[in-house]
Amino acid sequence: MHMHKYEKIWLTFGIACLIVFLSVVGVSAFYLGNKPPSCLTTINSEKVDQTKPFDKPGLHKVEGKEWDYELVFVASAFSYNPAQVKVPLGARVKVIATTKDVVHGFEMAGTNINMMLEPGYVSEYTTTFDKVGEFLVVCNEYCGSGHHLMSAKIEVVK
Ligand code: CUA
């Protein structure tokens, strides 16, 4: 079979790209352990207040885990619970959040924390708070008439 020279070049280029992209995704997922913020943990969105850990929103110290604290947020139209929370500087924190009603966002301005909160699902993200300051948490999914009012504050303190 005769193949044109350019066709061969493009085929090689295409296959090489595919190998590079799959390697990047593979290394990121299996070696660096990256995964989507929604880890497919489900929850009954009508019983959020009675379900652990959402029965006690806020910051909790934990022992024997890879993180020092769990920061639990419950979102509902149009607020977060807690609305304000203090986190010690340098703490390894697992942020655990869900919503009681519609889809909300959870974006911590100035950081790479940006999760979608979907009814029936738990979103998690583990991070280290290594900058002192006040961080605004905003909802970046349009959720209704009070969407623009929906925010919380995380204070990283020494
Ligand atoms: Cu909640 Cu927009």
Side-chain angles (χ1 to χ4, degrees), residues 2 40 66 70 76 78 122 139:
H2 176 75
L40 294 182
E66 279 170 49
E70 288 177 350
S76 58
F78 300 99
V122 176
C139 178

Side-chain angles (χ1 to χ4, degrees), residues 39-100:
C39 306
L40 294 182
T41 310
T42 53
I43 184 171
N44 182 343
S45 61
E46 283 169 14
K47 292 199 176 132
V48 168
D49 291 332
Q50 292 98 288
T51 310
K52 277 188 177 175
F54 302 103
D55 53 343
K56 290 195 192 95
L59 187 72
H60 308 290
K61 182 112 180 88
V62 292
E63 303 284 342
K65 295 190 178 172
E66 279 170 49
W67 46 91
D68 311 313
Y69 291 91
E70 288 177 350
L71 181 51
V72 179
F73 275 98
V74 176
S76 58
F78 300 99
S79 63
Y80 295 99
N81 183 10
Q84 194 169 354
V85 67
K86 281 191 175 130
V87 179
L89 179 70
R92 184 103 183 121
V93 177
K94 184 176 195 175
V95 182
I96 308 171
T98 192
T99 164
K100 289 207 272 192

Side-chain angles (χ1 to χ4, degrees), residues 94-115:
K94 184 176 195 175
V95 182
I96 308 171
T98 192
T99 164
K100 289 207 272 192
D101 38 46
V102 296
V103 173
H104 295 284
F106 186 100
E107 181 178 358
M108 198 171 153
T111 71
N112 59 356
I113 301 176
N114 188 355
M115 302 191 285

